[in-house]
Amino acid sequence: MTTSARSASLLQSFTLLHSHRVPLLLPNAWDAASAALLQMAGAPAIATSSAALAWSLGYADGGALPRAALLHAVEGIMRVSKVPVSIDIEDGYSHEPQAVAALVADLLALGVVGVNLEDGSKPPALLVDKIGAIRASASSREVFINARTDVYLRDLAAGEEAIAMTLARLSAYRAAGADCGFIPGIDSQQVAARLAEGLDMPLNFMLLDGGSRIAGLFEAGISRFSQGPAPFLGAYAALLRASSHFLGSGREEQTEAEAKELSFARVNDLFA
């Protein structure tokens, strides 16, 4: 099978995983080793966490990761991956739609089949333009786009206004060519049902503390579930504990408390 035929087959497989027959549980990797272990655990596909990948390379989350470092890391992940892989590229690391499309093209050349692209704090029209540029380019259009809106994650609105804003943004991203809508920062079954009813696209929720609510959220219309940086934080909390015991520093109690409180903000501050 040629490289292009293999990529097309993986893209088709990844798209079918969003078909609503069963929940798509999409664990988040950050390097080749974590990707290989997730495959060993039985993951049908793998996504990256932009925060975890950036931290693993010594950068803070939030657009600080150099393009070359991202592509090098993805190359390592793809070297061990046999399942479909989707890469979180934050806002595309550029405000220029054509530059974002060029980055997606480079990722596709490595064998990636999907990207996660967010609006963040920028006007939603900018993400519409980025999605449009990706779909307009022959070298980047064959990709599964998971369009993320940060309405809830950034507390841009609340209550009915937040639902209306989320529906409006994701509808625009869908019209521009997005395949799936990602709404981090909320796990309400009631809100999930409202969003699923109002949108003609698969929806992705991020669950940071386990999967006890997956059945109810899937019933409400959410088909894809990811974990973001939670696996990285858990793994490195274990490293912090084990290193403290190994070093015999006399800080075991303090380090145990620190490991329990290893949050996104604390790790991100290490690289600020």
Side-chain angles (χ1 to χ4, degrees), residues 55-98:
W55 296 336
S56 73
L57 297 173
Y59 294 90
D61 186 44
L65 184 65
R67 188 176 185 278
L70 169 69
L71 292 172
H72 182 71
V74 172
E75 185 177 14
I77 291 171
M78 298 311 301
R79 190 169 59 248
V80 303
S81 298
K82 298 178 176 61
V83 299
V85 176
S86 179
I87 302 297
D88 187 338
I89 57 172
E90 300 190 47
D91 67 350
Y93 303 101
S94 176
H95 299 322
E96 296 297 328
Q98 299 303 325

Side-chain angles (χ1 to χ4, degrees), residues 152 158-160 162-164 166-167 183 186-199 203 205 217 220-222:
Y152 287 95
E160 290 297 318
I163 292 174
T166 302
L167 288 171
I183 313 115
I186 190 168
D187 60 8
S188 163
Q189 190 168 330
Q190 291 72 28
V191 173
R194 293 277 301 279
L195 296 175
E197 182 180 4
L199 292 163
L203 297 178
F205 270 22
L217 289 168
I222 307 303

Side-chain angles (χ1 to χ4, degrees), residues 99-125:
V100 176
L103 174 60
V104 172
D106 286 343
L107 290 169
L108 292 181
L110 295 174
V112 170
V113 301
V115 294
N116 188 80
L117 193 59
E118 67 195 47
D119 52 22
S121 61
K122 301 297 187 295

Side-chain angles (χ1 to χ4, degrees), residues 3-21:
T3 300
S4 59
R6 181 176 183 274
S7 295
S9 177
L10 287 172
L11 175 57
Q12 182 181 35
S13 297
F14 189 59
T15 302
L16 288 174
L17 287 171
H18 296 76
S19 64
H20 294 274
R21 289 193 294 268

